[in-house]
Amino acid sequence: MRRWRPRSLFDACLRKGIFQLSKGDDLKHTIDRAQFDFMTMASNPGLETAYDPYRMSKDYCSILSTSLTYLSKIILLKLHYPAVVPLNSTTEWEFSCFADDSGQLHRWVIVSDWSDSDLPGEMHNWRTMGDLVVSRCPMMLHIFSVGRVVGGRPTTPWCRGYRHPAMPGLRTRFKRTTGKEFDGWHTVWLSEISHSAEEWVDLMIRDKVTDELVRHITVNVPSDTICEDVIKQITSEAMAMKEIGDWRDMPMSRNSCDGYFPCPYQNVCYAEKLVDIEGMGLYKKRSTVQVHKG
Ligand code: SF4
């Protein structure tokens, strides 16, 4: 896609920021860089959204500042990209996660929200299982919840809090000790008030919301039999891909066209006739897009 989906751009900037922090880069410099990257790409080529892109960008920049500030407070190991592993004479596996110096793998899974029932899907997918069986090293999944977008704004304590309607001078709150909702309280947005990210995160920690938003789950390596079987499946998929001549001969993946959100390639796949993809102005070749892994 030529224009970015806001969450995809946010995820790319956050992952890059996490990697920079893990290399020991200065926090302020890392946040400035992440926000600069977001605002630059949000301005050109732009965001794919029906809402106010400037307000949405400011909210996502707030989340970048608070989330990176919080992560700088918890131990971040030094990370690197694992080397590519040859599986046979024609196939090699490129990792999509980070690794620390002990060899343990780390993947940052950025989600709108998370429940325990989401874990099997994350453990079984190719990106987790493939990296595990090829490396034979355990993986730490770092689940990072950033909330859903409602009315064009990300609704998450990383950028949104509440103030008491009768006593606005009291501190910003994120969770009430009684467990009740904030009915009647004033909503405050970090992008619209003068809190620093440091102050905001300290208040989040005080209300004990960060433990619900960031979780760390270890996934162990399966048995040797399972590992060998999965590697056989990978090489078999690679062979099948090699045998595909023209991609136009492949059947459409119709179950995926309207999944979590409408697939952005519907303009191509559901056109009346074959289209010149690059000529549409909506897409550009993948080789020219900068991809951040992890
Ligand atoms: S619209 Fe998307 S999911 Fe559906 S066939 Fe095209 S590329 Fe695949």
Side-chain angles (χ1 to χ4, degrees):
M1 292 289 293
R2 189 170 284 278
R3 284 151 66 103
W4 282 84
R5 288 182 58 239
R7 255 299 300 284
S8 303
L9 179 55
F10 168 81
D11 291 5
C13 293
L14 180 62
R15 285 204 177 89
K16 190 174 164 191
I18 291 168
F19 191 56
Q20 283 177 323
L21 279 183
S22 80
K23 285 194 305 173
D25 281 10
D26 171 66
L27 173 62
K28 182 176 182 314
H29 176 258
T30 303
I31 292 173
D32 287 350
R33 184 77 231 174
Q35 293 181 331
F36 175 80
D37 284 351
F38 191 101
M39 289 309 254
T40 304
M41 301 298 276
S43 130
N44 182 20
L47 297 180
E48 190 68 41
T49 175
Y51 295 101
D52 177 353
Y54 182 65
R55 190 178 68 175
M56 187 180 273
S57 299
K58 283 178 62 184
D59 285 337
Y60 274 120
C61 282
S62 295
I63 306 178
L64 284 169
S65 66
T66 49
S67 53
L68 289 169
T69 299
Y70 174 71
L71 293 173
S72 72
K73 291 176 184 289
I74 62 176
I75 298 169
L76 270 177
L77 298 159
K78 198 165 178 295
L79 302 176
H80 60 270
Y81 290 120
V84 169
V85 174
L87 299 182
N88 59 30
S89 59
T90 57
T91 307
E92 54 187 27
W93 181 264
E94 184 179 350
F95 292 86
S96 63
C97 63
F98 299 127
D100 65 35
D101 288 343
S102 75
Q104 181 171 42
L105 307 178
H106 295 264
R107 165 163 292 116
W108 290 86
V109 183
I110 304 168
V111 294
S112 299
D113 48 38
W114 178 266
S115 73
D116 290 344
S117 61
D118 295 318
L119 183 58
E122 191 55 45
M123 286 170 64
H124 297 162
N125 63 29
W126 277 114
R127 62 183 184 178
T128 299
M129 193 51 71
D131 284 358
L132 273 177
V133 302
V134 174
S135 69
R136 308 273 174 122
C137 293
M139 178 184 289
M140 178 82 81
L141 293 175
H142 306 274
I143 313 294
F144 201 93
S145 304
V146 293
R148 295 188 179 282
V149 172
V150 178
R153 307 199 82 168
T155 54
T156 167
W158 296 114
C159 69
R160 185 190 69 171
Y162 296 93
R163 287 226 178 119
H164 195 284
M167 291 176 278
L170 293 182
R171 66 184 168 91
T172 304
R173 300 294 307 275
F174 304 94
K175 192 168 81 175
R176 296 179 71 181
T177 35
T178 56
K180 288 183 182 164
E181 297 291 317
F182 285 99
D183 291 338
W185 287 50
H186 296 311
T187 306
V188 288
W189 299 87
L190 177 56
S191 60
E192 296 168 1
I193 59 173
S194 60
H195 266 319
S196 70
E198 189 78 36
E199 288 171 322
W200 189 272
V201 169
D202 285 345
L203 291 171
M204 287 174 69
I205 293 171
R206 191 167 165 177
D207 269 359
K208 298 187 175 59
V209 288
T210 47
D211 290 348
E212 296 165 12
L213 300 175
V214 186
R215 299 176 199 207
H216 310 279
I217 301 166
T218 303
V219 185
N220 291 319
V221 181
S223 68
D224 284 349
T225 315
I226 299 287
C227 287
E228 280 149 26
D229 183 53
V230 175
I231 288 180
K232 218 164 99 188
Q233 293 173 38
I234 293 170
T235 50
S236 151
E237 285 283 359
M239 284 296 291
M241 282 193 271
K242 211 172 160 202
E243 279 162 19
I244 295 169
D246 190 325
W247 60 267
R248 290 177 190 82
D249 295 337
M250 291 180 64
M252 291 169 69
S253 310
R254 290 177 182 273
N255 285 350
S256 305
C257 301
D258 302 284
Y260 294 115
F261 53 87
C263 174
Y265 297 100
Q266 288 194 9
N267 292 309
V268 177
C269 298
Y270 288 96
E272 293 283 319
K273 51 188 177 189
L274 277 182
V275 294
D276 167 19
I277 298 177
E278 280 194 89
M280 297 175 81
L282 294 173
Y283 313 96
K284 62 181 174 182
K285 278 190 177 170
R286 188 181 292 272
S287 58
T288 61
V289 178
Q290 192 181 3
V291 176
H292 302 296
K293 301 193 293 182

